[in-house]
Amino acid sequence: AGAQFGYLLLWTLVPMTFILYLSQEMCARMGVITGKGLSDLIREEFGFRVTFFLMLAVLATNLGNILAEFAGVAASLELFGVSKYLSVPVAAFLIWLLVLKGTYRVVEKIFLMACTFYLAYVFSAYWARPDWLEAVKHTVRPTVRFETGYLLLMVAMVGSTIAPWQHFYLQSAVVENGVRRQQYWETRTDVLVGSISCMVIVFFIVVCCAATLHASGRTAIGSAAEAAQALEPLAGPYASALFALGLLNASLFAASILPLSTAYVICEGLGFEAGLDRPFREAPIFYWLYTALIVVGAGLILLPGAPLVRIMVFSQAVNGFLLPVVLVFILVLVNRRELMGEYINSWGYNAVAWSASAVMILLTLALIYLGLRGEVAALVAS
C-alpha cells in the first residue's frame, strides 16, 4: 500500500482502529459471559449446516493466510541469502514443535515477547526520513479512488488488520484463560491497547515504504525481500535489515497463530475437543488438523515460482470479503438477550458495527463490479 499509493491509504487506519476494537471487544465479552468460543456459539444458535459451510469458508480463507505467512518467512530470509527450501521447512517444524510441546501459558508468553519485535518497523520508518506532515495530513483526510488496485489494497489492509480468524482466536483464548466477569475490564483494556498498537505499527510500515519506494518510483514490488532490499540505498542498511526482520517476526508470529486459530474454529464448530492444555490423546483431531495446515501451507510455498507477494495481498483481500459475514454472526449473537443478558450491545455500538459491515460489503461489490467491467472491456478490445 505504501509503495503503490504513498500516504494515500493512511486515512483508513482511523476507522479501522475503531472497528478492530469494537469487533474484538464483542468477541471477548461473549467469551467471558457465555464461556464458549465463537464457532461453538454459532453451531448452537444457527445449527450444524450453517456452521459447516462457514467452517469450510474459514478453512479455505485461513489456508490462504497460512500460505501468506510462510511466503513472508521465505521472502524475508531471502534477503539474508537463505533459500526458502531451508527457511520454510525449519520455520514450519519449529512452529509445530512450539505448539505441540508447549502449554498455553508458555505459548502465550512467547507470542507476547514476539510483539515487541514489531518496533523494528518504527525504526525503519524513522531512518526512511518521511514527510511526517504529509503523512499526518493523509491520516486525517480521507482520499478515495474508485480504481481496482486502490480498492483491492484497501480491502486487503482491512482484511489483514481485522482478520476474521482473530475474532475466533480471541474468544477461544478468553475462554481457555477462564476470564471471570469481574476481570473483564482487564480484558477490555487489553483489547483496546492491542487495537491501537496494531494500527500504530501499520502506520509506520506504510510510511516507511511511502517515503522510500513510492517516492523513488519503485511501486511495483515483486517480493517482500525486494521491498526490503530496495530500502537499502534509500534509507540505509539498518532500515532494510530491520524491515526484513520485522517481516520475519510478523510472519512467524501469524504462522504460529493461524493454524492454531483454525484448529480451534473447526473443532469447536464441529464439536471436537480442542485446547493446548489437552494432551494429544484427548484432542487428536485438533492436533492433526494443526499439523496438516502447517504441512500444506509450508509445502505449497516451496513450489517453484510461487508468486509470494500476490499470495500475501490476495489472501488478505479474501479476509476482507469474509469479514462482514463473520461480523453479522457476531452482531446477531451479541444482541441475543438470552445469551448475553444485560451485556448486549448498546444502540450506538450496533450502529457503528453494522455500518462497518455495510461498508465492507459495498467495497466488495465495488471490486467485483470493477473487475467484471475490466474483463468485459478486455473481451471487447480483443
Side-chain angles (χ1 to χ4, degrees):
Q4 202 160 348
F5 293 104
Y7 303 114
L8 292 186
L9 278 161
L10 284 174
W11 69 271
T12 61
L13 303 188
V14 177
M16 278 199 291
T17 304
F18 285 105
I19 298 165
L20 179 61
Y21 170 71
L22 291 176
S23 60
Q24 295 214 344
E25 189 278 331
M26 287 189 287
C27 289
R29 191 174 358 131
M30 281 196 289
V32 172
I33 303 303
T34 66
K36 295 176 181 177
L38 181 55
S39 50
D40 213 353
L41 286 176
I42 291 171
R43 187 187 74 247
E44 289 182 6
E45 298 296 318
F46 296 98
F48 183 81
R49 183 177 296 179
V50 171
T51 308
F52 178 76
F53 286 109
L54 180 62
M55 294 303 101
L56 278 182
V58 169
L59 179 62
T61 305
N62 283 7
L63 182 57
N65 289 320
I66 293 165
L67 279 171
E69 303 314 332
F70 281 114
V73 171
S76 58
L77 285 175
E78 278 176 358
L79 182 67
F80 300 104
V82 181
S83 167
K84 71 177 182 180
Y85 298 105
L86 175 62
S87 63
V88 171
V90 170
F93 176 72
L94 291 176
I95 287 164
W96 176 81
L97 196 65
L98 167 69
V99 170
L100 198 70
K101 298 298 182 183
T103 63
Y104 186 85
R105 293 289 179 191
V106 169
V107 172
E108 192 175 52
K109 284 175 182 175
I110 291 172
F111 286 168
L112 192 60
M113 285 172 58
C115 286
T116 61
F117 287 94
Y118 283 113
L119 291 172
Y121 288 123
V122 178
F123 292 110
S124 283
Y126 172 76
W127 278 318
R129 296 182 295 277
D131 185 338
W132 292 111
L133 194 60
E134 192 73 9
V136 170
K137 184 176 75 175
H138 283 289
T139 302
V140 297
R141 190 183 71 184
T143 304
V144 180
R145 290 184 179 180
F146 290 97
E147 303 168 7
T148 306
Y150 188 87
L151 293 179
L152 178 66
L153 275 175
M154 188 188 295
V155 171
M157 282 182 70
V158 174
S160 64
T161 47
I162 318 174
W165 65 264
Q166 295 173 359
H167 301 84
F168 290 97
Y169 182 78
L170 175 67
Q171 191 160 331
S172 296
V174 167
V175 172
E176 189 151 355
N177 270 322
V179 180
R180 298 186 297 275
R181 293 189 185 193
Q182 56 267 38
Q183 297 173 300
Y184 177 61
W185 69 270
E186 295 175 5
T187 300
R188 187 171 58 192
T189 304
D190 189 13
V191 172
L192 179 62
V193 172
S195 300
I196 294 171
S197 60
C198 168
M199 294 305 169
V200 168
I201 297 301
V202 175
F203 173 85
F204 283 109
I205 294 171
V206 175
V207 164
C208 180
C209 292
T212 52
L213 305 177
H214 182 79
S216 65
R218 294 288 299 271
T219 58
I221 299 299
S223 73
E226 186 185 322
Q229 207 164 18
L231 289 176
E232 187 165 347
L234 303 167
Y238 294 119
S240 175
L242 280 174
F243 191 89
L245 288 172
L247 176 63
L248 175 63
N249 175 70
S251 301
L252 285 171
F253 191 18
S256 305
I257 295 180
L258 263 163
L260 190 58
S261 170
T262 309
Y264 269 118
V265 171
I266 304 300
C267 290
E268 281 180 2
L270 302 182
F272 298 115
E273 294 294 338
L276 287 177
D277 287 332
R278 295 180 185 274
F280 191 93
R281 66 180 179 276
E282 288 183 18
I285 303 295
F286 174 77
Y287 285 108
W288 277 118
L289 181 57
Y290 175 78
T291 302
L293 286 165
I294 289 177
V295 170
V296 173
L300 290 175
I301 287 301
L302 295 178
L303 293 174
L308 302 184
V309 166
R310 194 171 296 175
I311 288 170
M312 289 186 215
V313 173
F314 281 100
S315 69
Q316 304 313 311
V318 173
N319 266 349
F321 298 153
L322 183 62
L323 178 62
V325 177
V326 174
L327 282 178
V328 167
F329 278 109
I330 292 170
L331 281 162
V332 171
L333 288 169
V334 82
N335 282 296
R336 288 196 171 173
R337 195 170 288 277
E338 63 271 23
L339 271 180
M340 300 296 293
E342 62 183 293
Y343 292 92
I344 60 171
N345 278 357
S346 65
W347 179 89
Y349 218 112
N350 279 329
V352 174
W354 280 111
S355 298
S357 302
V359 168
M360 286 306 301
I361 291 168
L362 288 173
L363 274 174
T364 303
L365 292 175
L367 263 176
I368 292 170
Y369 167 73
L370 288 170
L372 289 175
R373 192 177 69 173
E375 290 294 326
V376 172
L379 284 171
V380 171
S382 62

